[in-house]
Every structure is written in C-alpha cells, then in structure tokens.
Amino acid sequence: MMNPETRRPLVAGNWKMHEGLAEAEALVRSLLAGLPATPAAEVLVLPPFTALETVHRLIGSDTRLRLGAQNCHWETAGAFTGEISTAMLEPWCTYVLVGHSERRQLFGETDEIVRRKLDAVLAAGMRPILALGETEAERERGQTQAVLLRQARSGLVGLSVDQVSRCTIAYEPIWAIGTGAAATPADASEAAAVLRSVVDEAAGREQPTVRILYGGSVTAASAASLLHAPGVDGALVGGASLRAAEFCAIVAGAGA
Ligand code: PGA
C-alpha cells in the first residue's frame, strides 16, 4: 500500500436513482453475505432516501457496512418542497455525498451551494464526501488542475482543522462517469496530489486522515490498479455498486 496506515481505504457505492425497497433489501443482503468478516476497506452504501431506513435496519450492528445519503439540503427545516435535511438523515447516515457532478450539471448546483451543503453535513455531525472533477472540455483545454483547485478550495477553505479531518474528497472526472472509460491510475494520482495540496492548505497542516477517492467507471477489473494508485485512498462506485458480487470484488481489490 502506498498510503499511510492512518488512511483505511473507503469503497463507497452510489446507487443513484436505483433500487426500490425490495431490490435494496436484496442487494444489502447479498453484500452482507459476500463481504469477508474483516473487509480490506471501510465499505459504504449510498441508497436512495426511501431505502435508508430499510438498509439501516438490515445492517443493524454489523460494522462492515456503513450507510450514507446521496444529497441533502443546507437548511435544517422549512418550506423547501421535495428536499431533505441533514436532521432527517442523521438518524440513519454516517456520510452524505455533496457535489456529485450529476447534481452540479443536471440540477444547477454551484460551488457555493455545494459548500453550504457540506457545512450542513458537518454541523449535523456527519461526514461529507465532497465530489468534484473536470469535464472533458476542461481537460482538453488544460484546465483540469485549475478546476480541481477551485472546487476543492471552495469546499474546504475556512473549515477548522477538525472539520477538514472529517471530510472525504471524491475525484470524479465527468468524462469517466458511466462511460466505461475510467481515468488511468496516473491521472487519478495526479489529481489526488492536487487535492491533497488543498487539504493541507485548508487545514493549515497535514491532515493524514482525509481520504481522497477516485470515481468514474470503477469495475472489479480496474479497481485494484486505481485503488493502489499513489495518493488514492478508495473508490466511489456507481453502476458496479448495484451488482453485489462485483462490488465485493472491488472491496477485495482495495486490499490486494
Ligand atoms: P460510475 O459512476 O461508476 O457508474 O461511472 C460513478 C459515480 O457517478 O459516482
């Protein structure tokens, strides 16, 4: 492993808008059956809101699987039709994903909105996973580093050292999400180094506990090389997280 022992890898499954209650229940049962007694990574699932209670109940006291949400609103309550607050998620969730590129691109979330959400997650005592990444056009124009610096600084600068230490960053190049074309381990490492510099800048000193994940077309086949890329501390998995055997194989790849 290239990373310090202080950072246990995190493998997170983003189910997106998939899995009704029956499917969610079947998937979690398969995951609990398929994971080893002591997985090589911390394992997290991010189901739709409607499945949180069910998945929480199925996990029970099993520490091999953690639960998180895919999104939240930044206010604790109010007239925000269709939204969900961190106070509503907190009974079920350890983590909340903020800033996924689908939220940014399809639902108009700006860096400022993402930061408000991240602050709300921290205020509720949960752990934010800040997702960010460049578009294909930005990469082609040579703007990858500038985009990552902007998004990461917007998410982290001004937080206390303790708050930064509770954050995880997920580097997800938009051109790699759902396309089958994952970034190379070298690309992932390069981005992780840029993001690590922002973690250090924001915390004012090294925060070795902050994990930097890679996401975008991670499969069982690509997981081991991406998860062992220097500076990469885990994976955020979309499509492959809906297939229990493949997701378990990705988790196994984190320790191989
Ligand atoms: P993918 O999605 O693994 O299906 O590319 C990743 C994500 O959007 O988090």
Side-chain angles (χ1 to χ4, degrees), residues 5-166:
E5 284 169 29
T6 44
R7 288 205 295 278
R8 185 170 181 226
L10 173 65
V11 176
N14 174 12
W15 295 3
K16 309 193 182 185
M17 198 171 73
H18 296 287
E19 314 301 55
L21 275 190
E23 293 92 353
E25 178 161 350
L27 181 50
V28 170
R29 285 193 193 283
S30 300
L31 289 175
L32 292 171
L35 286 171
T38 50
E42 184 177 352
V43 188
L44 168 68
V45 287
L46 307 168
F49 299 137
T50 47
L52 287 175
E53 185 176 2
T54 298
V55 175
H56 186 265
R57 176 174 48 77
L58 290 169
I59 293 174
S61 59
D62 196 324
T63 54
R64 295 175 302 161
L65 205 52
R66 297 202 185 275
L67 185 53
Q70 299 171 18
N71 183 31
C72 66
H73 195 269
W74 57 87
E75 296 287 348
T76 46
F80 302 103
T81 301
E83 292 292 325
I84 193 153
S85 74
T86 53
M88 294 164 180
L89 297 173
E90 190 275 331
W92 321 117
C93 298
T94 308
Y95 290 88
V96 182
L97 180 62
V98 297
H100 189 279
S101 65
E102 285 148 21
R103 300 296 320 169
R104 295 178 190 261
Q105 293 206 305
L106 304 174
F107 301 98
E109 292 192 7
T110 61
D111 286 340
E112 194 204 357
I113 289 173
V114 173
R115 174 57 182 265
R116 282 198 219 167
K117 294 183 174 199
L118 183 138
D119 286 342
V121 174
L122 288 170
M126 294 180 287
R127 296 172 168 270
I129 300 175
L130 171 64
L132 42 75
E134 82 285 2
T135 63
E136 185 159 32
E138 287 164 343
R139 173 162 283 258
E140 278 165 5
R141 288 197 297 266
Q143 295 171 338
T144 299
Q145 181 165 336
V147 169
L148 298 185
L149 287 172
R150 190 199 78 227
Q151 291 177 326
R153 284 182 177 139
S154 171
L156 299 182
V157 170
L159 296 179
S160 69
V161 172
D162 172 61
Q163 287 171 322
V164 173
S165 72
R166 286 163 50 208

Side-chain angles (χ1 to χ4, degrees), residues 14 16 100 102 172 176-178 216-218 236-239:
N14 174 12
K16 309 193 182 185
H100 189 279
E102 285 148 21
E172 297 207 304
I177 295 178
S217 295
V218 175
L236 180 54
V237 185

Side-chain angles (χ1 to χ4, degrees), residues 166-246:
R166 286 163 50 208
C167 293
T168 298
I169 302 176
Y171 168 59
E172 297 207 304
I174 293 169
W175 45 271
I177 295 178
T179 59
T184 63
D187 284 338
S189 282
E190 203 176 309
V194 172
L195 297 170
R196 179 64 54 192
S197 75
V198 179
V199 171
D200 294 346
E201 182 186 316
R205 62 183 155 96
E206 247 183 74
Q207 275 303 301
T209 57
V210 175
R211 287 175 292 199
I212 297 174
L213 314 182
Y214 167 78
S217 295
V218 175
T219 60
S222 64
S225 61
L226 283 163
L227 282 161
H228 289 88
V232 174
D233 308 308
L236 180 54
V237 185
S241 73
L242 300 174
R243 299 185 291 273
E246 177 152 20

